Amino acid sequence: MKNDNIKNQYRVNEQIRVREVRIVGDGESMVVPTRQALDMARDQGVDLVEISPNANPPVCRLIDYSKFLYQQKKRQKEMKAKQVKVEVKEIRFGPQTDEHDYQFKLKHAKEFLEEGNKVRAYVFFRGRSILFKEQGEVLLLRFANDLEEVGKVEGMPSLEGKKMFLYLAPKKAGTQKKSQQARDREAAVAEAKENARQSQAKEVDAETPANGGLFANAKISADALKKLTEDQDA
């Protein structure tokens, strides 16, 4: 079916019924009556193939039609191979993801972004763990910051039902080197997390598990989250 579609795109020989055509090839171009062009094709043992029907006059080539179709199929195949199919890959966390699991998922997310795919990371809250949604914000913030060299944040972490989402898009090639602005942002985020940790350590809830996971006693301010997104867009 695909081959038939390619054939139907072009008129050849007696199918070309205009009065005159422009013949191109080998860097040359000339306008001749269509009948003369057909005679030239016959003398050379090739076909008269119309490649630009909307031109005035239509543009044709003197070429073996089978060879021409082969070239067109090959070109389409090459173009298809160069096309990058962007997929959205999901990375799932719990609000108390441990360090080993975090690093494992971070590695995969980096590979996804380097391959040109988008990443949708989310924290899933079970039962009463929704009370610790701040931990999800901090986790996603760290995740975005750790992927700053290869991914761009597309929006603030948002809570939808029992899931908090963060979307990352791949950065263009050649933007791997960290800027001074990125390094400053990392320092600001680290300072904000440390200040939050110290603050919550003094007011830790009795319901908070002793082994709270990666960010059990951490809380990031909305201003810091907003600053990350704004800097990514800059």
Side-chain angles (χ1 to χ4, degrees), residues 79-105:
M79 290 177 63
K80 185 176 180 180
K82 291 179 180 180
Q83 291 178 346
V84 178
K85 185 179 180 181
V86 178
E87 298 181 2
V88 178
K89 303 290 187 177
E90 283 195 344
I91 300 291
R92 171 175 168 167
F93 293 103
Q96 297 171 355
T97 300
D98 61 41
E99 182 66 22
H100 176 76
D101 192 30
Y102 174 83
Q103 292 296 335
F104 177 79
K105 292 178 178 180

Side-chain angles (χ1 to χ4, degrees), residues 93 96-104 106 109 121 123 134-149 151 153 157 164 166 168 178 185-186 189-190 193 213-216 218-220 224-225 228 232:
F93 293 103
Q96 297 171 355
T97 300
D98 61 41
E99 182 66 22
H100 176 76
D101 192 30
Y102 174 83
Q103 292 296 335
F104 177 79
L106 179 69
V123 180
E134 292 86 358
Q135 295 174 213
E137 290 180 326
V138 175
L139 189 152
L140 292 176
L141 173 64
R142 178 188 175 187
F143 188 69
N145 198 64
D146 289 345
L147 293 170
E148 192 272 340
E149 293 186 7
V153 177
M164 181 174 288
L166 175 73
L168 296 167
K178 283 190 178 181
R185 182 170 63 253
E186 284 185 354
V189 169
K193 288 197 295 184
L214 193 61
F215 298 107
K219 180 179 180 181
I220 196 69
L225 282 168
L228 174 65
Q232 288 278 6

Side-chain angles (χ1 to χ4, degrees), residues 21-25 28-32 36 40 44 57 60 62:
V21 296
R22 180 181 297 276
I23 298 178
V24 296
E28 297 181 351
S29 171
M30 61 179 176
V31 177
V32 299
Q36 181 180 340
M40 293 169 61
Q44 297 180 28
C60 297
L62 298 176

